[in-house]
Amino acid sequence: MNLIKKITSLPYLIVCIMFLSISCSEDNPFEPPMGNQNNGDTGPMHLYELSFSGGSIDGESFSGRFSDNMIVAYRHQNPDGNGGEIDTITLTFAEESQANDFSLGMLIRMNGDSPRPLDILDTNNESQMVIAYDNYILTATTGTITMTNLGQTTYQGITYPHFTINYTAEMNGATSSNPNAFTTQVTGSITVRRLDVN
């Protein structure tokens, strides 16, 4: 039950994954007011790839792309209670075209233009990641994120970042019947394209 308690202590990630199962379905696409367009070097698609090494899902891998009418990332600042701000990028997507559906949710805590490491024990300061895959909930316990090509577009008061991240994480995998099922490592990359509101 320890892993399940840790997962439920990350309410933002669970809400993100639940949100994306609704907002990213093919029947109900989440479109920005003016849509994204292929504009110069921004490219027409969001891209992702990831692979697992170890545990029950050793060797599983995914890659694909989403059309750019999907919004998958937001950047927001909230007061930290000490006169400063907590700067966070929320990244969520659901892949429904694979044989086994999966969803990914990340809270990327920023330190200027650099992401902070993944760490399940410090949810206030470090980044978190949860992946739902088949029957499994996978929670990153530690890991690193590197980010390149960071930029952002603000539209109607909402900040939409664009970037490429590469990440590696140790993850605990669990099912409802076995909360301490296995550990695995995930490596991957995600490219979020720029929102074009012109």
Side-chain angles (χ1 to χ4, degrees):
M1 293 300 291
N2 287 340
L3 179 60
I4 298 300
K5 288 179 182 177
K6 288 178 183 176
I7 291 169
T8 57
S9 72
L10 303 175
Y12 289 123
L13 288 178
I14 300 304
V15 169
C16 288
I17 288 177
M18 290 172 58
F19 172 76
L20 37 102
S21 67
I22 297 168
S23 67
C24 294
S25 80
E26 294 176 6
D27 297 330
N28 185 21
F30 182 28
E31 297 184 17
M34 299 180 71
N36 280 344
Q37 302 295 324
N38 181 6
N39 185 3
D41 63 357
T42 60
M45 299 281 186
H46 306 296
L47 308 174
Y48 74 94
E49 61 180 337
L50 59 90
S51 60
F52 295 101
S53 176
S56 302
I57 53 175
D58 183 46
E60 294 284 343
S61 62
F62 302 95
S63 63
R65 55 188 62 207
F66 301 112
S67 61
D68 61 352
N69 67 347
M70 287 182 159
I71 292 178
V72 297
Y74 302 89
R75 190 170 188 177
H76 44 95
Q77 287 83 31
N78 296 310
D80 66 2
N82 298 314
E85 288 187 326
I86 300 172
D87 184 9
T88 305
I89 293 175
T90 302
L91 169 64
T92 60
F93 67 85
E95 177 55 87
E96 299 175 344
S97 64
Q98 302 284 352
N100 293 300
D101 295 350
F102 74 90
S103 302
L104 182 147
M106 295 181 81
L107 289 180
I108 304 172
R109 304 290 189 193
M110 300 297 291
N111 181 15
D113 288 340
S114 298
R116 299 186 61 84
L118 292 158
D119 187 344
I120 196 173
L121 298 178
D122 190 356
T123 58
N124 292 324
N125 299 300
E126 307 295 358
S127 301
Q128 290 88 49
M129 176 171 61
V130 172
I131 297 173
Y133 163 64
D134 201 13
N135 297 353
Y136 303 110
I137 297 292
L138 301 145
T139 306
T141 56
T142 60
T144 60
I145 305 170
T146 58
M147 181 178 287
T148 56
N149 302 320
L150 175 63
Q152 59 191 37
T153 301
T154 300
Y155 182 73
Q156 295 188 347
I158 300 174
T159 301
Y160 303 98
H162 57 273
F163 52 83
T164 295
I165 59 170
N166 290 280
Y167 57 90
T168 299
E170 297 295 325
M171 304 196 81
N172 285 336
T175 65
S176 58
S177 61
N178 187 354
N180 296 301
F182 62 91
T183 59
T184 189
Q185 184 179 71
V186 65
T187 58
S189 65
I190 302 169
T191 297
V192 177
R193 299 301 188 185
R194 182 169 65 86
L195 177 71
D196 185 357
V197 295
N198 296 319

